[in-house]
Amino acid sequence: MENYPPMFPSSSSQFSLMNNNNTTHAKEELLFQGKKTTSNGFLGLMASMETPSSDMNSGITNSMEQNEVKSCKKKGEKKIKNLRYAFQTRSQVDILDDGYRWRKYGQKAVKNNKFPRSYYRCTHQGCNVKKQVQRLSKDGGVVVTTYEGMHSHPIENSTDNFEHILSQMQIYASF
DNA sequence: CGTGTTTGACCGGCGC
DNA sequence: GCGCCGGTCAAACACG
């Protein structure tokens, strides 16, 4: 997996948290102050995608953050440079179906959090996109979804995936 | 029968 | 070196 075109328009709003004094739990804190650039209409999209999921929950606090994880494994540089996208969504359900098919492969309890974290992986062959879903112990209504990697294949489920919604939104927004 | 979930074991990195 | 901790594996299980 090299540089596939990311499915999220992610150009300018990029800040890396690797230089900060991130202790272990500072990473979760950073998710809250993700800069939302008004340029991409993506956040609005995310807002719209969680509404039809199950529970119109009206309060939307999602932030997005991307950091390229390079060179954090051993010494020097690293072969796999993963892109990580962390979303924070206010929803009652953990499963935010984005149109891809995910297989759960693990669940662990994290410290400083009473809710477990779930690990998912894309079921396409050759597609190593992973995501992990976690919710905050402080506010159980907030779900943090972290995508890792980029999909190298089209979306399978053509019905009500959010990219489909996005394309329609773009069509409508062009008027 | 195929596909996805559950869940304890396992493993590697890191701090002490 | 050891133990903790976060991430992954895989066998058993559930469900259509």
Side-chain angles (χ1 to χ4, degrees):
Chain A
M1 56 301 192
E2 292 81 69
N3 37 9
Y4 297 105
M7 67 180 191
F8 304 143
S10 62
S11 54
S12 60
S13 66
Q14 166 174 348
F15 68 99
S16 59
L17 52 81
M18 51 188 69
N19 260 343
N20 305 337
N21 43 1
N22 46 358
T23 55
T24 52
H25 56 279
K27 197 192 292 180
E28 285 94 6
E29 303 293 332
L30 273 170
L31 291 172
F32 283 87
Q33 44 201 5
K35 313 285 193 287
K36 45 183 67 177
T37 53
T38 60
S39 57
N40 49 2
F42 176 63
L43 293 170
L45 169 66
M46 293 296 289
S48 71
M49 96 177 234
E50 74 187 3
T51 308
S53 328
S54 65
D55 195 344
M56 51 292 288
N57 211 358
S58 73
I60 289 148
T61 58
N62 46 6
S63 58
M64 130 182 218
E65 164 204 347
Q66 47 181 324
N67 54 341
E68 34 191 327
V69 185
K70 66 171 82 167
S71 76
C72 45
K73 252 329 158 43
K74 204 155 284 190
K75 53 186 69 173
E77 42 258 37
K78 186 59 176 42
K79 49 205 73 175
I80 41 175
K81 50 157 114 180
N82 304 343
L83 268 301
R84 267 193 178 181
Y85 300 88
F87 300 100
Q88 180 184 145
T89 314
R90 180 164 209 106
S91 172
Q92 294 295 94
V93 288
D94 310 354
I95 320 289
L96 278 68
D97 199 354
D98 46 5
Y100 292 96
R101 179 139 287 124
W102 301 96
R103 186 188 89 249
K104 187 175 190 175
Y105 68 92
Q107 171 172 329
K108 288 288 280 191
V110 272
K111 284 215 147 156
N112 304 323
N113 203 341
K114 47 188 179 183
F115 300 103
R117 173 188 295 166
S118 301
Y119 299 92
Y120 297 89
R121 178 172 289 173
C122 188
T123 58
H124 254 255
Q125 185 188 2
C127 181
N128 284 357
V129 180
K130 291 176 279 190
K131 79 170 180 182
Q132 45 185 262
V133 178
Q134 172 184 6
R135 66 173 65 231
L136 301 174
S137 60
K138 192 70 176 298
D139 188 355
V142 175
V143 178
V144 178
T145 306
T146 305
Y147 288 86
E148 182 170 335
M150 280 168 280
H151 296 277
S152 58
H153 59 89
I155 293 179
E156 320 191 356
N157 186 12
S158 61
T159 64
D160 64 38
N161 60 74
F162 80 95
E163 192 163 287
H164 179 244
I165 297 174
L166 170 63
S167 59
Q168 289 198 349
M169 283 181 65
Q170 285 177 342
I171 289 173
Y172 293 146
S174 63
F175 289 106

